Amino acid sequence: MSSPLAGRRLGLALSGGGVRAMAFHAGVLRRLAELGAMESVAHVSSVSGGSLLVGLVLRSGGYRWPGSPEYLGAIHEQVRQTLTNVSLIGETVRNFLFEPRNWRYALSRANLVAQAIAQHWDINAALGDLPARPIWSINGTTAENGRRFRFRGANAGDGITGYAYAAKFPLAHAMAMSSAYPVGIGPLSFAAADYKWVRRAVESEPNRAATIAPRFKRLHLYDGGVYDNLGLEPLWNAGSGRLRHGAGGIDFLLVADASARLGIRRIPGPLDLRRAQRLANIMSEQSRALRVRSLVNALRTGLVTGLYLHIGSQAAVAEDADSAAADWVMPLTPSQVGLAAAYPTTLGRMTTADFDLLSRHGYETMRLREARLQRDPALVAAAARRRVLGEEIDEEAG
């Protein structure tokens, strides 16, 4: 049976989650490459760790989106080597402690993360150097207005601030913005006054865009996960439940969700600042859950054709191994899947064993779901009728 991605125009949403997300998503890309589907990716929307991975993949491919053979032959291993040899957060701390000129970034430490990305990942391109295809939406959050700030191609902005042409803006800074976790890293300071801003054209004046002055000379841009840790908004309209018309003509939505699990634990004491962090994590988890439930409903009812893969999924268990090809090895056990899902949200250096575990989990989560659909004629028939290739998750876990 042919791949469910054959002939599709793929929209790829890669969640945040630090290096945990990078490794998980790298495994998903490995499976896409095996299916010959890297060439089918029309739009990538990323947050935090997802943005870091895409930037690293593009740099490894000479700032071109790699074809499937190139990803399998070299780039996956280059990503593995980078994440297991470089501690991005460690280099950031060193840049701050031992470079007095960097002390000015004490309250906007994402600028230091950008330095580390440029220096130690060798990412020195600008937004204008990125390929036109696939479209890449790098998502963040504007602290001044609470909207999703995005870099898309050579353009930057949000719905309230407006949009600016930023072809010379460093890619490393855009990646750092998307990863600017509020507590540990802090915002990226963005010099809004250096750019010309316009509003989007309205329907009554489709060929005009009004020039506007930014309300603030500087914007403070945080992690895209503050607004939407799944990176869904550029690809999918939660209100209508359908794919967005301006998303590059995609007709298949693949969402890889490596978000941290909230966990059950005793809350810190009333005077402990970690209590406030716990409450913020609860609100973030509920926001994610609402998005996931809406998405899964759209998949199940046929509004969207796609696939939702989440870290820790118990779809990736040994019971599906008999449906796989002859080259299949025994899938991860539930305890191994649990270890992968529990990996902390960090930008530190990974061990090779941890990278391989998380990457394999991402790979298997996708491959086993595909194998399960193709093995069971009833599921395949249901998918054909309802145009659903979404993952089955229970509502409470969602």
Side-chain angles (χ1 to χ4, degrees):
M1 184 172 293
S2 64
S3 162
L5 303 183
R8 296 291 188 181
R9 287 181 59 81
L10 181 62
L12 184 60
L14 300 178
S15 78
V19 293
R20 177 187 65 249
M22 292 186 71
F24 182 82
H25 299 336
V28 173
L29 293 186
R30 179 183 159 208
R31 181 55 182 163
L32 282 180
E34 282 189 351
L35 295 170
M38 290 291 284
E39 295 80 356
S40 299
V41 177
H43 192 149
V44 182
S45 175
S46 61
V47 176
S48 190
S51 297
L52 294 175
L53 175 67
V54 176
L56 195 54
V57 166
L58 287 171
R59 191 270 291 165
S60 299
Y63 298 104
R64 297 177 297 102
W65 183 251
S68 297
E70 187 178 6
Y71 185 84
L72 289 173
I75 291 179
H76 184 82
E77 179 58 26
Q78 289 173 21
V79 170
R80 181 177 184 264
Q81 290 296 321
T82 299
L83 294 187
T84 58
N85 283 285
V86 178
S87 171
L88 202 58
I89 197 63
E91 298 300 338
T92 298
V93 171
R94 276 188 281 275
N95 281 347
F96 178 71
L97 293 178
F98 302 117
E99 291 286 347
R101 63 182 178 176
N102 285 332
W103 295 351
R104 57 184 167 151
Y105 295 126
L107 300 179
S108 54
R109 296 177 296 278
N111 295 72
L112 298 175
V113 175
Q115 286 185 18
I117 291 171
Q119 293 170 1
H120 299 282
W121 284 9
D122 193 30
I123 294 180
N124 295 298
L127 295 181
D129 299 322
L130 297 176
R133 288 288 183 272
I135 299 167
W136 182 18
S137 294
I138 309 172
N139 300 295
T141 306
T142 308
E144 282 75 10
N145 58 43
R147 293 299 182 92
R148 177 180 66 92
F149 190 97
R150 57 94 167 135
F151 294 97
R152 176 171 167 171
N155 296 300
D158 64 55
I160 293 179
T161 304
Y163 297 90
Y165 183 68
K168 295 183 179 180
F169 190 79
L171 173 58
H173 281 68
M175 293 163 62
M177 176 274 299
S178 190
S179 310
Y181 190 68
V183 177
I185 295 177
L188 182 86
S189 178
F190 182 83
D194 292 349
Y195 297 89
K196 177 182 177 181
W197 296 84
V198 298
R199 296 193 189 280
R200 282 184 172 169
V202 296
E203 287 185 12
S204 60
E205 298 177 301
N207 298 317
R208 297 182 60 188
T211 301
I212 57 173
R215 184 170 180 179
F216 303 98
K217 291 182 178 180
R218 286 194 170 271
L219 298 176
H220 296 83
L221 307 178
Y222 282 95
D223 188 331
V226 176
Y227 184 89
D228 167 19
N229 199 48
L230 299 180
L232 276 171
E233 189 161 295
L235 305 174
W236 177 68
N237 187 323
S240 68
R242 299 182 184 276
L243 297 176
R244 290 193 181 276
H245 293 300
I250 65 171
D251 60 11
F252 190 101
L253 179 62
L254 176 59
V255 181
D257 180 5
S259 303
R261 292 295 172 257
L262 183 63
I264 302 172
R265 59 177 62 91
R266 185 183 300 276
I267 67 169
L271 300 181
D272 191 327
L273 292 178
R274 291 176 297 175
R275 174 174 282 202
Q277 182 61 56
R278 175 68 176 182
L279 294 176
N281 290 342
I282 291 171
M283 290 185 284
S284 176
E285 171 61 19
Q286 291 307 304
S287 174
R288 187 197 70 85
L290 289 172
R291 290 182 187 273
V292 169
R293 288 168 183 166
S294 296
L295 172 66
V296 171
N297 181 66
L299 292 166
R300 286 174 171 167
T301 57
L303 287 173
V304 174
T305 300
L307 184 66
Y308 172 70
L309 306 172
H310 68 107
I311 196 168
S313 168
Q314 293 305 302
V317 294
E319 68 184 33
D320 285 324
D322 59 355
S323 69
D327 65 342
W328 187 255
V329 296
M330 185 60 68
L332 296 174
T333 65
S335 64
Q336 289 174 309
V337 169
L339 285 174
Y343 192 90
T345 303
T346 175
L347 297 181
R349 183 177 67 86
M350 306 185 80
T351 67
T352 55
D354 285 337
F355 177 89
D356 291 344
L357 174 68
L358 281 152
S359 175
R360 182 177 169 188
H361 179 36
Y363 173 91
E364 288 184 359
T365 300
M366 183 168 174
R367 183 172 179 181
L368 283 166
R369 175 58 58 185
E370 176 194 353
R372 193 173 184 181
L373 284 169
Q374 292 181 340
R375 179 187 63 184
D376 189 330
L379 286 173
V380 173
R385 285 195 306 272
R386 297 160 48 201
R387 302 183 72 242
V388 176
L389 294 169
E391 172 157 350
E392 299 162 6
I393 62 172
D394 70 51
E395 292 297 320
E396 197 63 33

